Amino acid sequence: MDQLLSHARKRNEALGITGMLLYAEGDFFQVIEGHPDTVEELFKKISADERHGKVTVIIREPIAQRSFADWTMGYADLSAEEAESAIGVNDFFSKGNSLGDLTEGRAKKLLSAFKQGRWRSQIHGKKSPSATPARRESTSKPDAPAFSYAFQPIVNASTGNIFSYEALVRGPNNEPAGEVLGKLTGSDQYKFDEHSRTLAIEMAAKLGIDTRLNLNMMPRSIEFSSTALTSVVETAKEVGIEPNRIVLEILENEIINNVDRFREEVESYRIHGINFAIDDFGAGYAGLNLLADFQPDIIKLDMALVRGIESNGPRQAIVRGLTRTCMDLGIDIIAEGIETQDEFLWLRNEGVELFQGLLLAGPAFEQLAVSFSLPEQ
């Protein structure tokens, strides 16, 4: 094993590859990071090796930075008991490296799923098409009505901290979003969509945001403006917000007619660290088919699914299935629209950690609410 590990480290260092390899009870789990062409070529060699059977792709995605720093290869032979305690503990790899900084990363979530016995050579994935960044263009601002923003916290019930704030369109005097958006028609909707996100980022920065920032996005904005995504990255950098703290929320039923193009566009911006969430998941008719073609970082359960869930068996069964699916894919779940303690407690008992709703805190107009009410668990 020492000889094999030494050989692999030298080869990976020459290729610029980092990652890790786990072995548990007859199966391997491997993460490979590097230049896309190099990773793809290495994966082809691994797949073609006769000693490897039932090779399964869990996920391919661009990343903003390497999760495994300069680790050219790590190896561990773990029993189920050892795997339970080893992941995330110092000295798991040589030189005392730790996986502790991957607590919220997709790699850590996938490792956790493997540790729990899933991903045992059962599901075969397919290659996602490569994407190229959209070219930069200037975009005109729409003749938009006056507007502003309110910010509603999304709370992590496990840590008791605010995970993110969602920016919600409001009128200049805190009028509902409908009064603003209802005045927009045609292409002005998409121009406003882009322009309003830049304002939300600027306002959040002025208010001193130190968490993630959730922004709503109309998927068709990409068709109307090649700067729909670049403007988010550029504005965030200009005001001192790291792009990896930005979460773009897209309504499920607005993606389904153009999944392939949408995926190609957004994948090129994941390399900047931008996160993507599917909002109101369960409200459209694409459902799990959408997750098969596009794996977001987060899904937000439609509030119709969580309303009164503590006494609704079918909704409970659906959410249990979604929780399992998202765990296997390394996707976080946010339960939004939480209004009662019973809703919160049922979802919390099912392992949901992220919550948003009036039970915890309502939207605060032009400010970041720092106080929220978290029910006893």
Side-chain angles (χ1 to χ4, degrees):
M1 287 306 305
D2 288 340
Q3 292 177 352
L4 178 63
L5 196 56
S6 176
H7 174 72
R9 283 175 171 165
K10 290 178 181 178
R11 181 184 60 188
N12 288 349
E13 184 174 6
L15 293 174
I17 291 290
T18 55
M20 53 83 66
L21 179 69
L22 277 179
Y23 173 79
E25 300 179 347
D27 294 289
F28 290 92
F29 180 97
Q30 187 162 22
V31 177
I32 306 172
E33 302 175 329
H35 187 279
D37 293 340
T38 306
V39 170
E40 183 63 29
E41 190 64 29
L42 181 56
F43 176 73
K44 288 179 180 178
K45 291 181 179 179
I46 293 171
S47 301
D49 193 315
E50 294 180 352
R51 296 169 295 181
H52 302 153
K54 298 182 180 179
V55 177
T56 299
V57 177
I58 298 179
I59 196 165
R60 281 182 173 93
E61 70 170 352
I63 54 175
Q65 59 185 7
R66 295 175 187 257
S67 297
F68 298 96
D70 58 353
W71 299 346
T72 55
M73 176 59 74
Y75 172 84
D77 185 349
L78 303 177
S79 67
E81 293 75 18
E82 290 170 329
E84 183 67 33
S85 60
I87 292 180
V89 178
N90 285 328
D91 298 320
F92 179 49
F93 290 106
S94 61
K95 302 180 182 179
N97 287 310
S98 172
L99 289 178
D101 59 342
L102 299 180
T103 302
E104 295 182 347
R106 194 191 297 271
K108 180 66 181 294
K109 297 185 184 77
L110 294 174
L111 288 174
S112 178
F114 178 80
K115 176 191 71 174
Q116 295 176 35
R118 294 196 284 279
W119 293 121
R120 297 300 173 90
S121 303
Q122 294 178 350
I123 302 175
H124 291 267
K126 63 179 181 179
K127 180 181 178 181
S128 298
S130 59
T132 54
R135 57 191 174 88
R136 293 177 57 185
E137 291 180 1
S138 62
T139 181
S140 59
K141 296 181 181 179
D143 295 327
F147 70 99
S148 188
Y149 271 97
F151 296 87
Q152 185 175 25
I154 298 169
V155 178
N156 187 320
S158 292
T159 65
N161 297 324
I162 293 176
F163 172 82
S164 183
Y165 285 93
E166 181 179 0
L168 302 165
V169 172
R170 291 290 186 267
N173 298 305
N174 200 22
E175 297 90 343
E179 294 190 17
V180 178
L181 302 178
K183 299 176 182 178
L184 299 167
T185 59
S187 61
D188 274 351
Q189 298 177 71
Y190 305 104
K191 293 177 183 178
F192 175 83
D193 184 56
E194 176 178 353
H195 170 53
S196 65
R197 278 192 299 277
T198 61
L199 178 67
I201 295 170
E202 292 169 352
M203 182 178 293
K206 290 179 181 178
L207 293 172
I209 191 169
D210 59 0
T211 66
R212 292 168 180 79
L213 175 63
N214 283 43
L215 305 169
N216 291 284
M217 176 179 175
M218 300 173 68
R220 292 198 65 195
S221 295
I222 296 174
E223 300 175 24
F224 284 85
S225 171
S226 63
T227 60
L229 291 173
T230 56
S231 60
V232 171
V233 175
E234 292 170 356
T235 304
K237 290 181 177 179
E238 287 173 3
V239 299
I241 296 177
E242 291 296 323
N244 61 12
R245 288 165 50 198
I246 300 294
V247 181
L248 294 181
E249 296 188 12
I250 306 99
L251 288 172
E252 175 195 348
N253 57 10
E254 291 184 0
I255 302 174
I256 55 179
N257 292 326
N258 206 4
V259 176
D260 290 339
R261 178 172 179 179
F262 177 77
R263 181 183 59 240
E264 291 176 3
E265 292 285 353
V266 302
E267 289 295 335
S268 63
Y269 290 95
R270 273 180 156 167
I271 198 168
H272 295 288
I274 294 290
N275 299 283
F276 291 88
I278 298 178
D279 194 11
D280 291 350
F281 191 87
Y285 59 82
L288 296 179
N289 286 332
L290 179 58
L291 290 186
D293 294 322
F294 171 67
Q295 293 81 47
D297 301 282
I298 300 168
I299 68 168
K300 299 183 75 175
L301 295 177
D302 181 55
M303 64 177 64
L305 269 180
V306 305
R307 185 66 64 244
I309 193 170
E310 74 283 353
S311 59
N312 189 299
R315 291 177 189 170
Q316 292 176 4
I318 291 169
V319 171
R320 285 194 186 101
L322 283 175
T323 302
R324 167 70 180 268
T325 298
C326 289
M327 184 181 298
D328 284 359
L329 292 173
I331 298 172
D332 286 322
I333 292 179
I334 296 175
E336 63 178 338
I338 301 298
E339 295 183 354
T340 71
Q341 183 168 336
D342 287 338
E343 292 169 353
F344 172 87
L345 292 176
W346 190 93
L347 290 159
R348 187 70 192 95
N349 288 335
E350 288 300 315
V352 176
E353 295 184 340
L354 303 176
F355 293 86
Q356 180 181 9
L358 296 179
L359 177 68
L360 286 76
F365 184 62
E366 295 185 345
Q367 58 182 306
L368 302 176
V370 294
S371 61
F372 55 89
S373 175
L374 193 64
E376 293 185 9
Q377 303 175 45

